[in-house]
């Protein structure tokens, strides 16, 4: 979310369009992305993640949010793509995204997904385990499909964030522990023996919503020292290192994220220093921002419905909830909000913003400071652009919202609002086949 919000005559605008006009044209709940802000985030990473000592690549983590329109923006800005499922890979192919810029992650890829990646000509598969390595080599050799691979290393570094979004601690489900050299060398030997699989390097990711850049210093130091030892002990050529993403964003005023320029400068500088220290030369360094590209560019618009007072709270109910934002229930995530048509009024009341799902935990914001609210008001929750729509569900048979990109006074629907009939499209009333 932009710190300076665009307000005219007490009414909030997104992408040059008033929130009431967006709600009237598209209905609510509604995800609205400021397209200029998306462009700025993408171009910022592309501009600042540069070095004269090695190639660089910015890979968007598509699990944060993806659709054809976003993929087109990514391609326009020269970013690559990280996918974690056959569905994300299929969407990329349907959007015409270049397969030579796609990296396929995941800890339990199915045979169907791996074959799809090989058939489509996906550039790189990131291997998560010895078992996966064995299967990828077997499939690539049998199908005679060439593929590059990286090995995901668990660096054993814990970032200070929510336990469910830490991915680099000792017991994480992701990657091979960096000190498990036997497993790593077995994987590399399997790859070397294949005529179709080529090893290019290592990947690491230590978590999400990270503000302390010293965590990246630590993982860079550890991995570069580690690959120096591997290359020396096993006469191994390592071309690439991918340090993942997880860069923090602003959800509330308590969050103090780093500017893109500082994130990129810090990682590049540290890599250059460590490579010099160990007399190593790498072809490429990569990072994988996701949330930090889309989160603050996205907002959710709701209509206020009924309201209710209890002995300790005053509830403000909206026409969405945990079906379009599960992060509060999952991670105790925090957000800021405003009444879009009362931006010039004092926030003299506190409300608990709750959704319409049949769950006591369907709470979006506790103790939200707002002007006096009324049924029919438009509530905007900021910073919902990451893991909002992508984690949305049909719980209670609610329809998933539409998604709109707004830019310079014009809006376009990039994902249509789901209907009740859409929800029934997979229902079957057929004879038993077994």
């Amino acid at each position: 979310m932009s710190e300076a919000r665009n307000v005219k005559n007490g009414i909030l605008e997104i992408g040059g369009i008033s929130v009431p006009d967006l709600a009237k044209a598209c209905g609510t709940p509604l995800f609205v992305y400021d397209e200029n802000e998306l462009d700025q985030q993408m171009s910022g990473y592309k501009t600042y993640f540069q070095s004269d000592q090695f190639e660089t690549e910015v890979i968007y983590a598509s699990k944060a949010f993806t659709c054809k329109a976003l993929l087109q923006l990514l391609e326009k800005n020269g970013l690559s793509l990280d996918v974690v499922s056959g569905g994300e890979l299929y969407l990329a192919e349907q959007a015409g995204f270049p397969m030579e810029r796609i990296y396929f992650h995941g800890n339990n890829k199915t045979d169907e997904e791996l074959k799809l990646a090989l058939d489509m000509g996906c550039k790189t598969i990131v291997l998560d385990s010895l078992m996966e390595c064995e299967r990828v080599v077997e499939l690539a050799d049998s199908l005679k499909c060439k593929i590059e691979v990286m090995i995901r290393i668990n660096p054993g570094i814990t970032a200070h964030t929510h336990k469910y979004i830490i991915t680099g601690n000792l017991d994480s489900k992701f990657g091979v522990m960096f000190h498990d050299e036997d497993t790593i060398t077995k994987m590399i030997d399997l790859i070397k023996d294949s005529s179709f699989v080529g090893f290019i390097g290592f990947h690491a990711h230590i978590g999400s919503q990270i503000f302390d850049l010293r965590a990246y210093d630590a993982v860079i130091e550890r991995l570069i020292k580690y690959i120096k030892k591997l290359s020396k002990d096993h006469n191994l050529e390592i071309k690439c290192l991918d340090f993942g993403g997880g860069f923090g964003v602003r959800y509330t005023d308590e969050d103090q994220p780093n500017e893109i320029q500082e994130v990129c400068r810090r990682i590049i500088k540290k890599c250059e220093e460590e490579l010099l220290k160990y007399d190593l030369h790498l072809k490429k360094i990569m990072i994988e921002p996701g949330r930090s590209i889309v989160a603050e560019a996205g907002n959710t618009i709701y209509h206020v419905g009924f309201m209710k007072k209890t002995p300790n709270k005053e509830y403000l109910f909206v026409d969405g909830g945990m079906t379009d934002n599960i992060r509060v229930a999952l991670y105790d995530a925090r957000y800021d909000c405003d009444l879009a048509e009362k931006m010039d009024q004092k926030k003299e009341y506190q409300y608990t913003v709750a959704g319409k799902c049949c769950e006591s935990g369907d709470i979006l914001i506790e103790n939200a400071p707002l002007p006096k609210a009324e049924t029919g008001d438009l509530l905007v929750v900021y910073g919902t652009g990451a893991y909002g729509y992508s984690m949305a569900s049909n719980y209670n048979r609610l329809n998933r919202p539409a998604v709109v990109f707004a830019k310079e006074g014009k809006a376009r629907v990039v994902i249509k609002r789901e209907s009740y009939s859409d929800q029934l499209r997979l229902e079957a009333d057929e004879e038993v086949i077994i």
Side-chain angles (χ1 to χ4, degrees):
M1 65 187 166
S2 300
E3 290 185 3
R5 309 200 195 286
N6 193 11
V7 177
K8 288 187 179 179
N9 300 318
I11 298 175
L12 179 68
E13 292 186 347
I14 302 172
I17 308 171
S18 76
V19 167
D21 285 348
L22 286 164
K24 183 178 180 181
C26 304
T28 59
L30 181 68
F31 285 102
V32 182
Y33 287 82
D34 184 322
E35 191 169 340
N36 278 336
E37 197 165 342
L38 289 172
D39 263 326
Q40 289 168 9
Q41 296 298 100
M42 293 176 190
S43 64
Y45 275 112
K46 187 68 175 177
T47 298
Y48 294 119
F49 195 66
Q50 298 285 342
S51 172
D52 58 7
Q53 297 185 27
F54 43 75
E55 295 176 21
T56 57
E57 189 172 15
V58 180
I59 306 165
Y60 173 69
S62 63
K63 63 177 182 160
F65 170 67
T66 188
C67 65
K68 287 184 178 181
L70 186 76
L71 293 176
Q72 290 162 0
L73 285 181
L74 290 165
E75 184 176 5
K76 183 189 79 171
N77 282 284
L79 273 64
S80 297
L81 190 67
D82 143 0
V83 301
V84 296
S85 72
E88 289 180 354
L89 180 61
Y90 178 77
L91 173 64
E93 190 269 341
Q94 289 293 298
F97 198 90
M99 284 291 148
E100 65 271 16
R101 300 213 311 263
I102 295 181
Y103 293 77
F104 193 0
H105 288 262
N107 65 296
N108 191 31
K109 306 177 192 75
T110 65
D111 271 11
E112 181 182 13
E113 290 173 321
L114 291 171
K115 289 175 183 176
L116 186 67
L118 291 167
D119 288 342
M120 286 184 174
C122 177
K123 178 180 183 291
T124 306
I125 292 176
V126 182
L127 302 174
D128 194 79
S129 65
L130 174 59
M131 289 181 70
E132 183 184 6
C133 181
E134 292 169 342
R135 190 59 181 141
V136 166
V137 168
E138 182 181 359
L139 285 172
D141 288 351
S142 64
L143 297 173
K144 294 181 170 50
C145 289
K146 288 190 175 295
I147 188 76
E148 291 180 349
V149 296
M150 301 182 79
I151 295 174
R152 178 162 181 168
I153 295 289
N154 182 336
I157 292 171
T158 301
H160 296 287
T161 184
H162 190 283
K163 66 178 181 179
Y164 290 159
I165 49 179
I166 292 171
T167 57
N169 65 321
L170 293 177
D171 291 316
S172 170
K173 76 174 192 174
F174 297 107
V176 183
M177 279 304 303
F178 78 100
H179 55 63
D180 188 359
E181 196 169 320
D182 285 346
T183 296
I184 292 168
T185 52
K186 283 179 185 176
M187 294 172 74
I188 291 170
D189 288 342
L190 279 168
I191 296 163
K192 282 182 175 180
D193 289 341
S194 170
S195 301
F196 295 92
V197 182
F199 173 73
I200 62 170
F202 293 102
H203 168 276
H205 183 73
I206 55 174
S208 296
Q209 193 60 352
I210 299 168
F211 298 107
D212 188 348
L213 296 181
R214 290 175 298 179
Y216 296 101
D217 290 345
V219 73
I220 290 167
E221 289 173 3
R222 181 165 290 184
L223 277 192
I224 290 180
K225 180 180 180 181
Y226 182 67
I227 65 168
K228 175 66 176 181
K229 179 179 184 300
L230 277 180
S231 60
K232 180 180 178 182
D233 292 351
H234 302 281
N235 191 28
L236 180 65
E237 182 185 9
I238 300 165
K239 300 177 182 178
C240 306
L241 279 181
D242 183 341
F243 292 103
F247 315 120
V249 304
R250 179 180 287 102
Y251 287 110
T252 72
D253 289 340
E254 294 179 4
D255 298 324
Q256 299 297 320
N258 299 282
E259 297 292 334
I260 288 176
Q261 184 174 0
E262 172 60 15
V263 170
C264 294
R265 186 200 67 81
R266 181 79 169 254
I267 292 174
I268 292 291
K269 184 172 183 290
K270 188 64 176 176
C271 286
E272 290 173 348
E273 290 173 351
E274 293 300 307
L275 290 171
L276 179 63
K277 177 181 176 180
Y278 289 102
D279 191 26
L280 271 173
H281 301 279
L282 289 178
K283 180 181 179 181
K284 187 187 291 185
I285 298 289
M286 299 104 96
I287 54 171
E288 296 175 347
R291 180 198 312 265
S292 58
I293 287 177
V294 295
E296 297 182 47
N299 313 273
T300 310
I301 304 173
Y302 301 99
H303 266 105
V304 175
F306 299 132
M307 302 173 71
K308 180 190 295 182
K309 286 186 177 181
T310 65
N312 300 307
K313 294 184 179 182
E314 186 162 4
Y315 282 100
L316 181 158
F317 299 126
V318 296
D319 53 351
M322 64 192 301
T323 48
D324 57 73
N325 190 345
I326 194 66
R327 293 188 67 254
V328 183
L330 277 182
Y331 312 130
D332 196 26
R334 300 182 66 188
Y335 293 89
D336 282 339
C337 66
D338 275 315
L339 294 177
E341 297 166 283
K342 299 179 178 179
M343 299 293 289
D344 55 355
Q345 296 184 22
K346 291 182 179 180
K347 298 183 176 183
E348 299 179 320
Y349 296 81
Q350 282 200 333
Y351 297 96
T352 294
V353 180
K356 63 187 274 90
C357 292
C358 193
E359 291 288 339
S360 296
D362 185 19
I363 306 295
L364 293 177
I365 305 175
E366 293 270 15
N367 302 317
L370 291 169
K372 183 172 176 57
E374 301 168 282
T375 296
D377 282 345
L378 291 168
L379 182 88
V380 177
V381 178
Y382 301 112
T384 59
Y387 305 104
Y389 189 88
S390 64
M391 298 178 83
S393 76
N394 292 125
Y395 183 56
N396 289 170
R397 285 292 185 176
L398 297 185
N399 294 321
R400 279 176 284 218
V403 181
V404 166
F405 281 10
K407 179 180 181 180
E408 298 171 359
K410 295 183 179 180
R412 57 185 175 124
V413 175
V414 298
I415 301 179
K416 295 178 181 178
R417 183 175 303 282
E418 198 170 37
S419 68
Y420 293 138
S421 60
D422 289 332
Q423 290 194 45
L424 296 179
R425 71 189 183 281
L426 300 180
E427 294 280 340
D429 185 16
E430 301 174 355
E431 293 181 8
V432 175
I433 60 172
I434 295 178

Coordinates of all heavy atoms in Angstrom, one line a residue, residues 14 55 107 193 200 316 340 343 415:
I14 N -8.2 4.4 -6.2 CA -7.1 3.4 -6.5 C -6.9 3.5 -8.0 O -7.9 3.3 -8.7 CB -7.5 2.0 -6.0 CG1 -7.8 2.0 -4.5 CG2 -6.4 1.0 -6.3 CD1 -8.4 0.7 -4.0
E55 N 26.0 -12.4 -13.7 CA 24.7 -12.1 -14.2 C 23.7 -12.2 -13.1 O 24.0 -12.8 -12.0 CB 24.3 -13.2 -15.3 CG 25.1 -13.2 -16.5 CD 24.7 -14.4 -17.4 OE1 23.6 -14.9 -17.3 OE2 25.6 -14.7 -18.3
N107 N 8.0 -29.6 -3.0 CA 8.6 -30.7 -2.3 C 8.0 -32.0 -2.6 O 8.6 -33.1 -2.2 CB 8.5 -30.5 -0.8 CG 7.0 -30.5 -0.3 OD1 6.2 -29.6 -0.7 ND2 6.7 -31.5 0.5
D193 N 25.5 -38.6 -14.2 CA 25.4 -39.8 -15.0 C 24.3 -39.8 -16.1 O 24.2 -40.7 -16.9 CB 25.1 -41.0 -14.1 CG 26.3 -41.4 -13.2 OD1 27.5 -41.0 -13.6 OD2 26.2 -42.1 -12.2
I200 N 23.0 -27.0 -12.4 CA 23.5 -25.7 -12.5 C 23.8 -25.0 -11.2 O 24.5 -24.0 -11.1 CB 22.5 -24.8 -13.3 CG1 21.2 -24.7 -12.7 CG2 22.4 -25.3 -14.8 CD1 20.3 -23.6 -13.3
L316 N -18.4 -5.0 13.0 CA -18.7 -4.5 11.7 C -18.5 -5.7 10.8 O -17.4 -6.2 10.6 CB -17.7 -3.4 11.4 CG -17.9 -2.6 10.1 CD1 -17.2 -1.2 10.2 CD2 -17.2 -3.4 8.9
A340 N -13.9 4.0 2.7 CA -13.5 4.7 1.5 C -14.1 6.0 1.3 O -13.5 6.9 0.6 CB -13.7 3.8 0.3
M343 N -12.8 9.4 4.3 CA -11.4 9.5 4.5 C -11.1 10.8 5.2 O -10.0 10.9 5.8 CB -10.7 9.4 3.2 CG -10.8 8.1 2.4 SD -10.1 6.7 3.3 CE -8.3 7.1 3.0
I415 N -9.8 -11.1 -13.6 CA -10.4 -12.4 -13.2 C -11.8 -12.1 -12.9 O -12.1 -11.2 -12.1 CB -9.7 -13.0 -12.0 CG1 -8.2 -13.3 -12.2 CG2 -10.4 -14.3 -11.6 CD1 -7.5 -13.9 -11.0

